[in-house]
């Protein structure tokens, strides 16, 4: 059973078809890469999944729930986490405090900053630090981190919410080669435990991930397969890779 199914989704903005009967399915624990030219509908697709944009037609099914019927807040608590291209961390708080604020549960900012953490919660933060490669940096202010480290901290904050599905929008934009490599290792370690949908332009990075690739163009699926298969597809070369 697919964990995420987009079924004939169409979205129109002022006469422009951002999505045109888009259909695709992603299996539980899969690492799926989405590529395509600017304006192909990649961001709109993520907006539909997270409830930011309502489709004109079609359904988005996640674990048998139709996401188009839920609010953004309900979707976030249903197990979907989204990371935007620009990292959004609390720059004036420490790495540890950022993860503390993000922990799953009814924790407002005041509760999070003044309540004592249980041993289990401290262990969970320790696990998250190790997972995203920031162990030893917990006392540093988030604002002092390098660009790649801020991206990893934000991924740690998403993981603190225990999502089943992670939507990652251009996660390696602006990263050094070393940071990009470490991010690929991180994503490969998360696949299986989580389902990952990665929108990215960096073909080397996508090649490192080695998963199934979906190419969008003009709001619908143009091609699917391994990276090598889609790179050899004449239609993909024409609309995207050949430019």
């Amino acid at each position: 059973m697919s964990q995420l199914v987009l079924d004939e989704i169409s979205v129109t903005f002022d006469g422009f078809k951002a999505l045109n009967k888009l259909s695709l399915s992603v299996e539980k624990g899969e690492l799926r890469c989405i590529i395509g030219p600017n304006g192909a509908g990649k961001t709109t697709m993520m907006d539909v999944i997270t409830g930011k944009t309502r489709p004109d037609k079609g359904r988005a099914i996640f674990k048998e729930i139709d996401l188009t019927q839920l609010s953004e807040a309900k979707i976030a608590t249903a197990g979907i986490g989204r990371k935007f291209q620009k990292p959004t961390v609390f720059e004036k708080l420490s790495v540890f405090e950022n993860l503390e604020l993000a922990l799953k549960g009814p924790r407002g900012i005041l509760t999070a900053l003044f309540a004592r953490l249980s041993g289990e919660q401290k262990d969970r933060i320790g696990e998250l630090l190790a997972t995203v490669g920031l162990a030893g940096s917990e006392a540093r202010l988030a604002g002092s981190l390098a660009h790649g480290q801020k991206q990893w901290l934000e991924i740690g904050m998403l993981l603190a919410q225990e999502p089943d599905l992670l939507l990652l929008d251009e996660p390696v934009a602006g990263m050094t080669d070393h940071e990009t490599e470490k991010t690929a290792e991180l994503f490969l370690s998360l696949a299986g435990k989580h389902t990952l949908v990665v929108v990215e332009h960096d073909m080397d990075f996508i090649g490192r991930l080695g998963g199934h690739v979906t190419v969008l163009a003009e709001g619908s699926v143009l091609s699917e397969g391994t990276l090598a298969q889609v790179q050899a597809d004449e239609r993909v070369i024409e609309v995207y890779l050949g430019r």
Side-chain angles (χ1 to χ4, degrees):
M1 176 72 186
S2 299
Q3 188 176 51
L4 175 70
V5 177
L6 304 183
D7 179 24
E8 300 234 318
I9 289 186
S10 293
V11 175
T12 308
F13 298 119
D14 299 326
F16 170 70
K17 272 211 155 152
L19 294 179
N20 184 13
K21 295 185 177 174
L22 172 65
S23 292
L24 63 87
S25 62
V26 181
E27 301 303 312
K28 183 176 170 59
E30 187 184 341
L31 200 172
R32 173 71 62 92
C33 293
I34 310 280
I35 64 173
N38 290 332
K42 302 182 298 291
T43 300
T44 306
M45 178 195 76
M46 288 202 176
D47 287 346
V48 167
I49 295 168
T50 54
K52 192 175 175 194
T53 295
R54 294 280 176 214
D56 306 324
K57 288 181 183 162
R59 301 179 308 153
I61 308 295
F62 173 66
K63 298 194 297 187
E64 301 183 11
I65 306 161
D66 186 354
L67 299 173
T68 62
Q69 305 301 312
L70 298 183
S71 66
E72 278 187 78
K74 281 264 170 66
I75 289 171
T77 57
I80 297 177
R82 181 179 186 179
K83 189 197 169 322
F84 292 89
Q85 189 177 341
K86 192 173 181 297
T88 49
V89 298
F90 298 101
E91 303 236 333
K92 291 185 166 63
L93 296 180
S94 71
V95 168
F96 188 94
E97 287 166 333
N98 269 272
L99 291 170
E100 188 180 344
L101 278 175
L103 281 177
K104 189 176 170 94
R107 300 170 58 76
I109 286 187
L110 287 173
T111 319
L113 292 179
F114 295 108
R116 290 177 74 89
L117 283 176
S118 68
E120 196 179 321
Q121 288 169 320
K122 285 180 183 165
D123 289 347
R124 177 71 181 131
I125 291 175
E127 273 172 32
L128 291 166
L129 288 163
T131 298
V132 298
L134 290 174
S137 298
E138 50 266 43
R140 286 182 62 185
L141 286 183
S144 74
L145 298 175
H147 172 72
Q149 292 173 313
K150 283 182 186 171
Q151 300 280 33
W152 300 332
L153 174 56
E154 191 178 20
I155 290 166
M157 291 167 74
L158 274 184
L159 292 173
Q161 298 285 318
E162 297 169 24
D164 296 307
L165 171 65
L166 282 165
L167 304 173
L168 302 146
D169 195 357
E170 294 193 40
V172 297
M175 283 192 184
T176 65
D177 289 347
H178 176 64
E179 288 170 339
T180 299
E181 201 165 308
K182 283 191 73 173
T183 304
E185 288 168 12
L186 170 60
F187 286 8
L188 288 167
S189 76
L190 295 175
K193 297 174 219 156
H194 305 269
T195 307
L196 283 75
V197 174
V198 181
V199 167
E200 192 45 80
H201 287 290
D202 185 327
M203 292 298 151
D204 289 339
F205 177 69
I206 289 169
R208 282 195 182 112
L209 297 180
H212 194 76
V213 178
T214 297
V215 186
L216 298 191
E218 297 181 350
S220 54
V221 174
L222 179 68
S223 182
E224 284 193 310
T226 64
L227 181 59
Q229 285 168 337
V230 301
Q231 283 180 320
D233 187 323
E234 289 296 333
R235 296 167 305 166
V236 177
I237 293 165
E238 191 181 329
V239 305
Y240 184 41
L241 301 172
R243 288 185 180 176

